[in-house]
Amino acid sequence: RMEGKNTSAAQNTPTTPQKERGGCEVLAMRLDGRLTRVLDGIDLRPVASEWRNVLLSAAPFLMYLFVFKYYVLLREVTGLSELTKPNRHVLPQLETFFFSCLPHRKFAVFANPLLDFVAAVPYLVHFPLPVLFPMYLYAIPRRRRQIYPFLWCAGWVNFLAVIVQLCLPTAPPWFADTAVFDEKGHLIAVANNEAGFERLDKLFGMQLFHSIYAASPVKFGAMPSLHVAWPAIILVSKPWVSDTVGVLHVVWIAWAALYSNHHYGVDAMAGILLVLLVNLCMTRIYCPFPMNHHEELAPLYGEDHQSLPGPGGAAVLPAEGADASQSGRDRLGLDKKEYLESMAALQRARTNSQSVPILHQV
């Protein structure tokens, strides 16, 4: 009887493999439970919202890239290549009307290697500029939200500009000044499209500017000037150093555009006016992103940027004693006018809201 009892106990005792398998199952159940709790605690809505903002702000620029890449094909498919030939007379006439001369020819008299280099710098900076400025905004936490309206503005400026160039192509000054036609109007000879920068290519013995301009599908896109428009977009988006530096950047590249024979003065004016028009539409008509400096007031309230006033957002009052003192403005990076305007907006939020929480005190 005792032997049978021992045999039965031995059969019911789990073996080592069974113990390991049971332990693994328990561990897996515990890990699964913990993982489930962790995943339940993760809110993916902010991530989805950020991706939505990125895609929405980049949409106009993606439309521009599509039209730019397939510029020649679109002119052929739509029949514009037959309807609208590149015009080389209108811009010189407008230039003479506004300036009583052709400024690019006046600048060409002073051409020398030093001025060629000075003019080439903003042109070379132009190409990485769409990446450099958003990187600069992202590097400053209080300005990160400005990336979206900047991309939105830049996208629409570029898209509208390339539509104008698609429908109404205009010849740059280097083409109008050097093109030679036969009696039937066929082009016989013309200068290279790198224009004044050809001198630098010859000086350094390389084809840098030639390769850049030869790759562009838009050969007759003098007006409006996107070279001048990009610094103007940065200027209306609150430039990286100061408004003075932003204005100097616009003037610098406008001079370079005329000096290098790539644009007329009216091209530069058209680029600036286009930027101002798009910015006006964003501030007065529609923009899916906040067009104010409330994000820059985050140091007054802590890190809860979503609590600052904005379209459909909750209003937050400034802490007691917040004023337009020099130290406060310096800390926020705003001038007195911007500071007072933001304070006034927050005060209006107090008036229009039934209950407004004060989240932080300075």
Side-chain angles (χ1 to χ4, degrees):
R1 204 180 299 120
M2 290 294 295
E3 289 178 359
K5 202 171 183 181
N6 292 336
T7 303
S8 177
Q11 291 177 350
N12 293 332
T13 302
T15 62
T16 300
Q18 290 175 334
K19 289 181 179 180
E20 292 179 353
R21 187 164 55 252
C24 291
E25 291 176 355
V26 172
L27 180 60
M29 292 176 63
R30 290 179 178 176
L31 290 176
D32 183 63
R34 292 179 181 177
L35 182 60
T36 302
R37 288 194 297 271
V38 170
L39 293 178
D40 289 341
I42 297 177
D43 187 3
L44 297 179
R45 287 175 297 179
V47 178
S49 177
E50 289 299 320
W51 274 107
R52 172 190 170 277
N53 290 337
V54 170
L55 295 176
L56 181 60
S57 62
F61 196 77
L62 294 176
M63 294 190 297
Y64 155 73
L65 291 177
F66 176 82
V67 177
F68 179 81
K69 181 175 179 59
Y70 298 103
Y71 178 87
V72 177
L73 177 62
L74 289 173
R75 280 188 57 82
E76 292 291 338
V77 171
T78 57
L80 289 172
S81 58
E82 297 296 330
L83 293 176
T84 57
K85 299 294 183 180
N87 191 296
R88 58 190 178 93
H89 302 293
V90 172
L91 295 183
Q93 294 171 357
L94 289 174
E95 194 86 340
T96 304
F97 174 79
F98 282 105
F99 303 105
S100 300
C101 68
L102 297 176
H104 72 279
R105 293 184 179 176
K106 301 293 183 181
F107 291 141
V109 175
F110 304 98
N112 62 73
L114 177 60
L115 291 181
D116 290 343
F117 179 78
V118 173
V121 171
Y123 258 72
L124 292 176
V125 172
H126 165 79
F127 298 101
L129 203 58
V131 177
L132 292 177
F133 189 67
M135 290 176 60
Y136 163 77
L137 293 178
Y138 187 81
I140 303 176
R142 63 183 173 82
R143 297 197 63 182
R144 287 179 182 175
R145 287 289 174 181
Q146 295 177 11
I147 295 177
Y148 301 133
F150 166 76
L151 292 177
W152 183 261
C153 180
W156 280 113
V157 168
N158 281 263
F159 178 69
L160 294 175
V162 79
I163 291 298
V164 172
Q165 295 164 359
L166 180 73
C167 300
L168 301 171
T170 49
W174 63 264
F175 183 91
D177 292 346
T178 62
V180 179
F181 297 88
D182 61 16
E183 295 179 353
K184 296 182 179 180
H186 298 142
L187 182 65
I188 300 176
V190 69
N192 292 327
N193 54 5
E194 60 267 28
F197 293 130
E198 183 180 16
R199 296 188 295 267
L200 281 181
D201 280 354
K202 291 181 178 179
L203 179 64
F204 292 104
M206 58 183 181
Q207 300 292 313
L208 175 61
F209 285 98
H210 178 76
S211 60
I212 292 174
Y213 285 97
S216 175
V218 184
K219 305 299 182 184
F220 299 98
M223 175 182 278
S225 171
L226 287 177
H227 287 96
V228 179
W230 270 102
I233 295 169
I234 294 176
L235 179 61
V236 300
S237 302
K238 193 170 175 60
W240 28 35
V241 180
S242 67
D243 290 341
T244 302
V245 173
V247 171
L248 290 176
H249 190 183
V250 174
V251 173
W252 185 11
I253 198 167
W255 165 81
L258 272 68
Y259 172 82
S260 63
N261 281 7
H262 277 285
H263 289 285
Y264 295 98
V266 290
D267 302 338
M269 293 167 55
I272 295 172
L273 289 176
L274 179 59
V275 172
L276 295 177
L277 176 63
V278 171
N279 187 67
L280 180 64
C281 292
M282 290 173 61
T283 55
R284 299 299 178 88
I285 300 177
Y286 174 73
C287 178
F289 311 101
M291 288 289 294
N292 51 49
H293 297 296
H294 294 152
E295 293 291 339
E296 297 182 352
L297 295 177
L300 288 178
Y301 309 94
E303 298 299 326
D304 189 2
H305 290 214
Q306 301 300 326
S307 298
L308 296 176
V316 180
L317 293 182
E320 296 299 330
D323 56 19
S325 64
Q326 184 65 39
S327 61
R329 299 200 308 273
D330 291 343
R331 184 172 66 258
L332 297 171
L334 306 176
D335 59 30
K336 185 174 181 179
K337 181 180 178 181
E338 294 170 330
Y339 191 101
L340 292 177
E341 287 177 352
S342 300
M343 289 296 107
L346 292 172
Q347 187 60 40
R348 287 195 298 271
R350 169 190 284 181
T351 304
N352 297 331
S353 180
Q354 296 296 330
S355 60
V356 184
I358 300 178
L359 297 185
H360 297 276
Q361 296 288 335
V362 177

